Amino acid sequence: MPPSVGDLVLRGAASIGVPVFLTGAFEDGLPLLWANEAFEKYADVRFSDLAGRRLSVLGDRLSDPEDAAKVSAHLAAGEEVQAMARSALRGGISGWVQVTLTPARAANHGRVTHWIGISVDVSEHMERQAAQLATLTVENRQREDSDLIAQTTELLADLEYPYVLRDIAELLGHVVKWAGFYVNDDGLKPAEGIDVANPPSGRGRRHARYVAGDDQPRGGPQRGIQDQLGDTTAAGGTTVAPGRLLEVVDSVQDLLDGKGDEPVTLHLDIPHAQYSASGWLQRELNRRLTDEMGGVPRSVVVHPVAGRKSTLGLLVVWLADAGADEVLFYEGTDESEEVRGVLEVVARRAGNAIDNARLYAREHRLAETLQRAMLPEQAEVPGLDVWTYYAPNAEHAQVGGDWYDILQISTEIVGLVIGDVVGHDVEAAATMGQLRSVVRSYAFELFTPGEVLEKVDQLVAGMGIPRSASMVYAALRKKGDEWQAIEYSRAGHLPPLLLRRGEVITLDQGGGALIGFGSRERTTGEHGLRPGDTLLFYTDGLIERRDRPLRLGLEALLDTAAAIQAKDAAGVGEELLARLADKPEDDVAIVVVRVPDPEGDRAQPTLSPRWRRWMLPSEPSSIGRARHAVLRTCQAWGIEESAQAELVVSELVANGVLHGWGHIALRLYDTGEGLRIEVEDSNPAPPVATDGHPNRLGGFGMQIVDRLAEWGWRPSGTGKLVWAKLRDQAK
């Protein structure tokens, strides 16, 4: 009798190389009823050892535990199902199988009585998939880390942004729970930005000793560390040996001293009493993290923020939540190593940015100091209204060759000098300084301008000064109470102008070659002066442009000067700047000297524009100069609140001198509704009024401003601009 189809199928299933098994009904727990030889070889077990075992344990071995409910639902409905499950393989190793369960129904009523299972080894496939997922995860993490570093680099590129370190710490919140920067300059201090306004010296010092539980620094010998700690234990019961504490304390100090470059762990739950930065940093972090995060970790990791030659600060990070017995070290998982790599890159780039900012600030301050040393403080000449202005070309690092000088030679003679050295570098500024000193010396010795320039020629030729220069030297002579005449000599410089009641007179006599090239006798020009006359001295930066000849620029100056209606020197200068120097391409130096006309000034109302501007050096003498300037302007405009304006200007300029750097721009505007005062400096940090704390230093000046005016501030192109609008004190 030939075998039945069922017998053939059973024989084939028994001999096939794929593991096949038969189970009972789902309601009975899928008991294992039969398995072929391939199943026994794959599982390395005899069927007799598994017979009757329920296959319901499959749910505990699925690749995704959430699939268990889906598999049970399909089985209960009598539907074919596939699932991935872990499986013990030959040799005790673990692998993955894909199990397919197909229902076998009874012929008479269609109920599922058995399940036919096929098990396929997919371990290699799952390993490849896991490797691909791991690679993708690593790539995604690396991409996120690269994006974070790129954003950090972009933030650090703006050296004038005051909150760059704060924003970088917030970015690091994607990889750590908390991060904060501390700069190291004469002691640690929290930092939100890179201070370029007052660049630190970079000299770190050790902090004073701290006694546990005492926030006040103390000097003198301290009791032993073992006596202070006793049997101190860290949270979780781990005993902390004194040697470990000393190691931690010294490690943080070593980072600041530049003796180490590896991150160290600082335990915040151990009392510190050592002569180092660790004690202060521990207390500061406990306070700061409590305020910002509502809790304090057992330990934080400290990275050095290194510059080129020294450690400039610390980057402190709270990696993650730690268990009671866990201390956060970097050793361990690959993820911690990746986080460490990101933090080290960020700390290194922050250190380079701080170093560059300080270098930039030092060079800029050096250039400013050099330039300021060459320009005089504006002299208050009795009987004359004098206004001066100097603006270097920003493209040339605030260093140029233009200069001016005002010399009170005697009660009857005032000397005026304006000059321009070729070039825009330190050598040009040095040449300018030499020439200025030479001219000053001869101006007090010789009283005729031509003779002064002849002596300057001789000395410059002997000194071998490499740069050529142009110059005008003029002497204003007084007889009695009236200014009688101006004598002048020019060395290759543009002629001064004399403005007299709408007429412009070009003082073009006394011409000659550039300084150092005078082979002929220098001549002296002369012109009489009257009350109300205004003298204008300037350098070519006021009128020279790339898109027009110098001749056309001089014609524009003459037309502008003829239309000026101002009655004070500052008004004349401001009109010139507003119309001619909106976009200067070179350094600009201007000196405006007006001979007062008491009768004419009282008889005619002012028609000058209702704004004024002064460029003041960042030095204490500028405060007094600003007060005088605002008083003169209020008198010219007929503003009664001159005393309030003087006080507000004094406080704002004082803030710029104390906390800013670079030139200070002072502007006054008559808005029709009150006087508006603007003071601009190169420090982007905003002004802060005192909060009333008895130990608070500074900020009281802004309280005075707040009583007298409405005020505010905004960022400017190079720093900040503080404005104030005077209140009507009668209200």
Side-chain angles (χ1 to χ4, degrees), residues 280-575:
W280 177 88
L281 184 59
Q282 179 213 39
R283 298 176 186 277
E284 163 66 17
L285 288 170
N286 274 281
R287 178 197 62 78
R288 185 174 176 183
L289 287 170
T290 300
D291 293 342
E292 297 181 14
M293 305 295 293
V296 181
R298 288 192 54 232
S299 57
V300 293
V301 180
V302 183
H303 275 271
V305 178
R308 293 177 179 85
K309 297 181 180 179
S310 62
T311 299
L312 306 177
L314 300 175
L315 170 59
V316 183
V317 295
W318 177 358
L319 287 179
D321 290 316
D325 298 319
E326 182 182 358
V327 177
L328 297 178
F329 287 97
Y330 277 117
E331 295 77 6
T333 65
D334 294 337
E335 181 180 5
S336 295
E337 291 296 334
E338 292 171 2
V339 171
R340 175 180 180 175
V342 171
L343 295 174
E344 288 180 344
V345 170
V346 171
R348 184 166 59 250
R349 295 194 178 185
N352 290 335
I354 295 173
D355 225 1
N356 291 338
R358 291 181 177 180
L359 179 62
Y360 166 80
R362 284 193 294 268
E363 292 180 350
H364 203 129
R365 184 178 289 272
L366 174 63
E368 283 281 342
T369 303
L370 178 62
Q371 190 73 55
R372 189 169 62 244
M374 304 308 176
L375 294 177
E377 177 187 350
Q378 178 177 313
E380 295 293 333
V381 181
L384 289 175
D385 182 9
V386 181
W387 180 87
T388 58
Y389 178 85
Y390 173 76
N393 189 329
E395 296 180 359
H396 299 114
Q398 303 281 351
V399 180
D402 292 15
W403 90 97
Y404 61 83
D405 217 341
I406 302 172
L407 311 174
Q408 183 77 57
I409 297 174
S410 68
T411 56
E412 290 82 21
I413 300 176
V414 171
L416 300 174
V417 185
I418 194 162
D420 185 1
V421 177
V422 175
H424 301 89
D425 52 22
V426 174
E427 186 178 32
T431 301
M432 176 186 67
Q434 291 175 304
L435 290 177
R436 176 173 172 246
S437 299
V438 170
V439 174
R440 271 179 167 255
S441 299
Y442 287 129
F444 282 90
E445 178 182 346
L446 305 171
F447 299 113
T448 303
E451 294 179 355
V452 172
L453 292 191
E454 283 184 11
K455 287 294 185 180
V456 173
D457 279 333
Q458 295 173 10
L459 190 57
V460 166
M463 294 172 62
I465 294 178
R467 298 293 181 94
S468 59
S470 65
M471 184 190 307
V472 174
Y473 173 65
L476 275 64
R477 299 189 181 277
K478 184 179 182 181
K479 185 176 181 180
D481 294 333
E482 296 184 356
W483 295 95
Q484 296 287 324
I486 174 176
E487 296 178 352
Y488 61 94
S489 184
R490 299 185 298 116
H493 200 87
L494 293 168
L497 302 180
L498 189 152
L499 283 60
R500 177 178 292 169
R501 300 185 184 281
E503 180 186 3
V504 179
I505 302 171
T506 303
L507 305 180
D508 54 2
Q509 300 178 13
L514 295 171
I515 291 296
F517 294 90
S519 58
R520 300 180 182 179
E521 181 181 355
R522 297 280 184 180
T523 60
T524 300
E526 184 176 358
H527 201 285
L529 294 177
R530 302 175 187 174
D533 285 353
T534 300
L535 294 168
L536 171 61
F537 299 81
Y538 55 95
T539 58
D540 56 5
L542 179 64
I543 60 176
E544 189 175 25
R545 300 291 182 272
R546 296 187 183 95
D547 58 352
R548 71 182 182 192
L550 186 62
R551 176 181 56 83
L552 295 180
L554 185 57
E555 292 177 0
L557 173 61
L558 294 174
D559 294 340
T560 301
I564 290 177
Q565 300 294 322
K567 295 192 304 181
D568 60 321
V572 173
E574 190 60 47
E575 283 200 45

Side-chain angles (χ1 to χ4, degrees), residues 200-277:
S201 65
R203 301 185 307 272
R205 66 172 174 83
R206 302 178 74 92
H207 285 265
R209 295 179 184 269
Y210 283 88
V211 178
D214 186 357
D215 287 333
Q216 299 300 322
R218 298 182 179 180
Q222 302 292 320
R223 57 195 179 99
I225 184 66
Q226 180 63 56
D227 295 337
Q228 295 182 44
L229 289 179
D231 295 328
T232 301
T233 57
T238 305
T239 301
V240 181
R244 175 56 184 159
L245 175 62
L246 291 173
E247 176 187 341
V248 172
V249 171
D250 292 342
S251 297
V252 174
Q253 186 63 57
D254 285 346
L255 290 183
L256 295 174
D257 294 340
K259 299 177 182 178
D261 56 3
E262 289 295 320
V264 299
T265 301
L266 176 62
H267 300 274
L268 301 184
D269 56 354
I270 303 175
H272 281 266
Q274 292 300 296
Y275 181 70
S276 73

Side-chain angles (χ1 to χ4, degrees), residues 644-645 647-648 651-652 689-690 699-711 724-731:
Q644 294 93 323
L647 190 54
V648 170
E651 295 299 336
L652 295 184
T690 181
F700 294 98
M702 296 310 298
Q703 280 193 338
I704 297 175
V705 174
D706 193 51
R707 294 288 299 272
L708 299 175
E710 298 176 1
W711 69 276
K725 183 180 178 182
L726 292 184
R727 292 193 179 98
D728 187 353
Q729 299 300 312
K731 294 182 179 179

Side-chain angles (χ1 to χ4, degrees), residues 143-217:
R143 188 179 299 107
E144 292 174 355
D145 293 344
S146 299
D147 290 343
L148 188 150
I149 293 173
Q151 293 179 60
T152 298
T153 303
E154 184 176 354
L155 284 171
L156 291 171
D158 185 359
L159 299 182
E160 296 180 350
Y161 180 51
Y163 305 114
V164 57
L165 296 181
R166 181 200 65 185
D167 289 358
I168 292 175
E170 291 177 356
L171 281 177
L172 290 176
H174 295 291
V175 295
V176 298
K177 186 169 183 178
W178 179 88
F181 283 92
Y182 290 82
V183 296
N184 179 32
D185 183 68
D186 293 332
L188 281 176
K189 58 182 179 180
E192 290 190 333
I194 299 174
D195 189 358
V196 296
N198 296 288
S201 65
R203 301 185 307 272
R205 66 172 174 83
R206 302 178 74 92
H207 285 265
R209 295 179 184 269
Y210 283 88
V211 178
D214 186 357
D215 287 333
Q216 299 300 322

